[in-house]
Amino acid sequence: MASSSRALSRLAGPARQLSVRANAPAVNFTTTSSSIVSRSRTRTTALSRQFTRSYADAPPTKKPRRIRNTIKWTWRLTYLSLLAGIGAVIYDGYLDRHPEEQFVPDPDKKTLVILGTGWGSVALLKKLDTANYNVIVISPRNYFLFTPLLPSCTTGNIEHRSIMEPVRQILRHKKAAVKFYEAEATHIDVEKKVVKITDNSDIKGKVHETEVPYDMLVIGVGAENATFGIPGVREHSCFLKEIKDAQAIRTKIMDCVETAAFKDQAPEEVDRLLHMVVVGGGPTGVEFAGELRDFFDEDIQKLIPEIAPRFKVTLIEALPNVLPMFSKQLIDYTESTFKEEHINIMTKTMVKKVTDRTVEAEVTGPDGKKSTVTIPYGLLVWATGNTIRPLVRDLMAQIPAQKDSRRGLAVNEYLVVQGARDIWAVGDCAVAGYAPTAQVASQEGAFLARLFNNMAKTEALEQRVRELSSSLNLQPGDTAAKTQEIEDLEKQLRRIKDVKPFHYSHQGSLAYIGSEKAVADVAWLNGNVATGGKLTYLFWRSAYLSMCFSTRNRVLVALDWIKAKVYGRDVSRE
């Protein structure tokens, strides 16, 4: 404030000098001097106010306009992002409906036959340059199925067509045309290099069996459900591997519910009908048990409250704990969550026999003693074990090197079937030293696509080198240029031929455990991050949504989730 006073005194000096001059004898300047003094005082007052504001100790007040501007710009960014997302979806749909023209590949090129439309085969097709081969795809189903979300289809949380991608839609977007035959491969003749296929559809033409020759063959037919020779499993249980399995489970769940609600139904029969038994403590069995519990707690309990308290879920596992591929921390968290959700877990329990109403199992107690229990059920879902398909077993019998293989086609580090030429195997039908999961099969398919693309480039470059070498020194003046081109091509060949063997990179494991909770064991840097809970559930959903094959699948799955959350699951029985 002292500095402000000194400034004011300096400004007041000229005003005093003007006042002295106004007292001079010249009377004509009296009025002028008075106005000058008045203006000086006004200017002094304004400047004093300015300096006072500049040196005030009070902090400046925050203007509410800043908050309003922040809210306004946040809202603008939100709806602009929403519009951009809608525009991207519409544009993607336009591209799907209006693909570019395809060209027919050279018939002199090698014929590559791919069996199956699972994870391995589709990953191969997605990255394969079809212009290098005559590609033929053979499969009994004309779609790719996103299997991690299959348990959600059993309760109506997701509609089954939302996780299906038509194979012809995938093939239509390749550069060169690809042939697709909806048929089942029944026999592979290794000597003649032909595949025998059969049309098993309900409607058959005059020709429903034929042979397809191949130069290169990729087997990705997967595996089928293993029953371990237990009597009654195939006759009385439901599997969970295909779309038809999920539809059958969904129908049977509502059958059990409506039958339990039937008039004058005995209480013990209601308890049996509403007892759902799941065999298999892997991710599929655990996720189905969680989805089933959610379905009854969130929908059936509100619609049919009189029978809801009798609903029960039992999970049977032969190993000491569920989710054996997860960390001990997440296993304990899953088991405690199931206990809160009233899902009964029976570990160290071996199923011995299945009838149309009961499951007979052998339980190993903590003391090692074994006892037999009989479990009545309304629905039995078998979600454990894989075994090789008849096609793979027939092929293994033709190859002497495969005689000791029991779980599938043994392959080398480049996924070539041991003891065979020009045959590769991916997915659950191959034994490559890794677990039979979708993640492994997808990486195997992508590896084969890179391998085949490199093989085609190598053949083209080697052909060019042979052409240049055969004409070298025959014409004067072009020797130096051709020699340099040969050297460049050989450098490219050395780079392309350096293809490293297949190596699986584990990205982590996810599983939904019910009550909007999930567990995740995700690879991070040189270790793993283990987490579980509701935030992990959001991560589980976002991860599976991003893993869906196409934008169409992502949109449909997201809309199904929203629909189920707002209106509930559909309890109508087809």
Side-chain angles (χ1 to χ4, degrees):
M1 297 302 294
S3 59
S4 178
S5 301
R6 287 195 297 270
L8 291 174
S9 63
R10 286 197 298 269
L11 290 171
R16 287 196 299 269
Q17 293 175 7
L18 290 174
S19 299
V20 174
R21 291 176 184 174
N23 293 327
V27 180
N28 295 334
F29 294 95
T30 303
T31 305
T32 305
S33 61
S34 300
S35 61
I36 292 173
V37 170
S38 176
R39 286 197 299 271
S40 300
R41 289 176 179 173
T42 303
R43 191 177 301 147
T44 302
T45 305
L47 287 171
S48 65
R49 289 176 181 173
Q50 177 181 352
F51 278 94
T52 301
R53 285 197 300 269
S54 301
Y55 289 87
D57 294 331
T61 57
K62 186 179 291 185
K63 296 182 180 180
R65 186 176 298 176
R66 292 183 179 178
I67 300 176
R68 288 197 297 269
N69 287 340
T70 302
I71 296 174
K72 180 173 66 177
W73 281 106
T74 302
W75 168 245
R76 287 178 179 177
L77 290 174
T78 301
Y79 75 73
L80 285 176
S81 300
L82 184 62
L83 289 176
I86 294 174
V89 171
I90 294 174
Y91 179 68
D92 183 81
Y94 175 83
L95 293 180
D96 276 349
R97 298 297 301 274
H98 301 84
E100 297 180 358
E101 291 294 328
Q102 291 180 313
F103 65 89
V104 179
D106 185 358
D108 294 331
K109 291 186 176 180
K110 290 184 177 181
T111 299
L112 171 62
V113 175
I114 302 173
L115 303 182
T117 52
W119 284 90
S121 300
V122 169
L124 166 60
L125 287 168
K126 191 174 183 180
K127 295 183 179 296
L128 178 68
D129 186 357
T130 55
N132 297 324
Y133 303 95
N134 291 291
V135 183
I136 300 175
V137 181
I138 301 170
S139 176
R141 68 182 193 191
N142 66 345
Y143 58 87
F144 165 73
L145 178 64
F146 188 76
T147 50
L149 289 177
L150 195 59
S152 298
C153 295
T154 59
T155 59
N157 201 24
I158 293 176
E159 295 299 326
H160 63 274
R161 290 201 173 272
S162 299
I163 60 173
M164 298 165 62
E165 182 70 14
V167 170
R168 293 191 181 275
Q169 186 79 6
I170 300 171
L171 302 180
R172 185 61 184 85
H173 290 274
K174 303 303 294 182
K175 291 181 180 179
V178 178
K179 293 181 181 179
F180 173 75
Y181 301 129
E182 187 182 78
E184 184 173 357
T186 57
H187 177 70
I188 299 172
D189 193 323
V190 179
E191 297 297 330
K192 296 181 179 179
K193 300 186 77 171
V194 295
V195 180
K196 183 179 179 181
I197 62 174
T198 304
D199 180 9
N200 289 331
S201 61
D202 295 333
I203 300 176
K204 295 181 175 63
K206 290 183 179 181
V207 178
H208 59 273
E209 287 186 356
T210 186
E211 293 181 346
V212 178
Y214 68 86
D215 297 308
M216 303 163 63
L217 177 65
V218 176
I219 304 174
V221 296
E224 61 183 19
N225 297 285
T227 61
F228 307 105
I230 301 173
V233 172
R234 196 167 296 278
E235 293 82 5
H236 304 297
S237 64
C238 294
F239 300 108
L240 190 50
K241 206 174 187 66
E242 301 287 345
I243 281 294
K244 62 180 181 180
D245 299 331
Q247 292 173 315
I249 292 172
R250 185 173 178 178
T251 300
K252 199 161 185 178
I253 290 173
M254 292 313 303
D255 273 346
C256 291
V257 170
E258 297 297 348
T259 305
F262 194 74
K263 185 177 183 298
D264 298 332
Q265 197 71 264
E268 59 273 10
E269 185 67 5
V270 173
D271 291 338
R272 182 188 70 82
L273 290 167
L274 295 182
H275 187 193
M276 310 296 172
V277 178
V278 184
V279 180
T284 301
V286 168
E287 289 187 347
F288 174 69
E291 292 278 3
L292 202 55
R293 185 78 250 185
D294 289 348
F295 179 44
F296 269 79
D297 290 345
E298 297 174 6
D299 296 280
I300 297 298
Q301 188 172 5
K302 297 175 183 177
L303 299 175
I304 318 176
E306 60 271 17
I307 65 171
R310 295 179 177 271
F311 178 72
K312 184 180 179 182
V313 179
T314 298
L315 182 65
I316 298 176
E317 171 57 44
L319 297 177
N321 49 58
V322 298
L323 298 177
M325 69 289 297
F326 285 76
S327 63
K328 182 65 168 59
Q329 175 188 358
L330 294 181
I331 291 173
D332 294 340
Y333 178 76
T334 300
E335 292 179 350
S336 64
T337 302
F338 272 17
K339 188 176 181 180
E340 295 173 0
E341 296 172 350
H342 305 290
I343 297 176
N344 183 32
I345 299 178
M346 297 178 64
T347 56
K348 297 182 180 180
T349 303
M350 299 282 292
V351 176
K352 295 298 182 182
K353 184 181 178 181
V354 176
T355 67
D356 59 340
R357 290 173 174 263
T358 60
V359 174
E360 294 182 12
E362 186 180 76
V363 182
T364 303
D367 55 356
K369 293 183 178 180
K370 295 181 180 181
S371 60
T372 302
V373 295
T374 300
I375 307 169
Y377 71 89
L379 170 68
L380 174 63
V381 175
W382 194 268
T384 180
N386 288 330
T387 187
I388 57 179
R389 295 188 181 273
L391 174 70
V392 176
R393 187 178 290 108
D394 177 65
L395 177 61
M396 293 169 61
Q398 301 180 51
I399 305 173
Q402 299 286 333
K403 65 178 182 179
D404 295 327
S405 182
R406 295 288 180 268
R407 295 185 295 109
L409 291 165
V411 297
N412 65 9
E413 67 275 18
Y414 291 95
L415 304 182
V416 178
V417 175
Q418 298 282 17
R421 291 186 57 189
D422 302 324
I423 300 179
W424 292 260
V426 295
D428 294 355
C429 66
V431 179
Y434 303 103
T437 64
Q439 197 174 154
V440 173
S442 181
Q443 293 187 28
E444 288 175 343
F447 169 81
L448 279 189
R450 293 193 301 270
L451 181 65
F452 292 163
N453 291 338
N454 284 348
M455 289 170 59
K457 292 178 182 178
T458 300
E459 291 180 3
L461 291 175
E462 288 177 344
Q463 178 64 26
R464 179 59 180 164
V465 169
R466 285 194 295 268
E467 291 176 357
L468 291 173
S469 298
S470 62
S471 62
L472 192 64
N473 297 321
L474 293 179
Q475 297 179 359
D478 63 346
T479 301
K482 287 185 177 181
T483 302
Q484 183 61 42
E485 186 176 356
I486 290 174
E487 291 180 0
D488 294 339
L489 291 174
E490 288 178 346
K491 288 181 181 179
Q492 293 184 42
L493 281 171
R494 284 193 294 271
R495 288 196 300 268
I496 293 174
K497 284 186 175 181
D498 187 21
V499 179
K500 296 181 180 179
F502 172 73
H503 176 71
Y504 169 63
S505 175
H506 184 63
Q507 303 300 314
S509 302
L510 299 170
Y512 177 64
I513 59 176
S515 299
E516 296 187 348
K517 296 178 183 179
V519 290
D521 205 344
V522 183
W524 180 261
L525 298 178
N526 294 327
N528 284 0
V529 176
T531 178
K534 292 188 178 294
L535 289 179
T536 309
Y537 165 72
L538 297 178
F539 173 73
W540 173 83
R541 280 203 163 182
S542 61
Y544 277 4
L545 200 63
S546 65
M547 289 166 58
C548 287
F549 186 85
S550 64
T551 304
R552 168 185 167 276
N553 292 136
R554 297 184 190 100
V555 171
L556 292 177
V557 168
L559 291 176
D560 286 342
W561 280 337
I562 294 172
K563 180 181 65 176
K565 192 68 176 178
V566 175
Y567 297 105
R569 299 168 180 84
D570 187 1
V571 298
S572 58
R573 184 173 65 85
E574 297 179 359

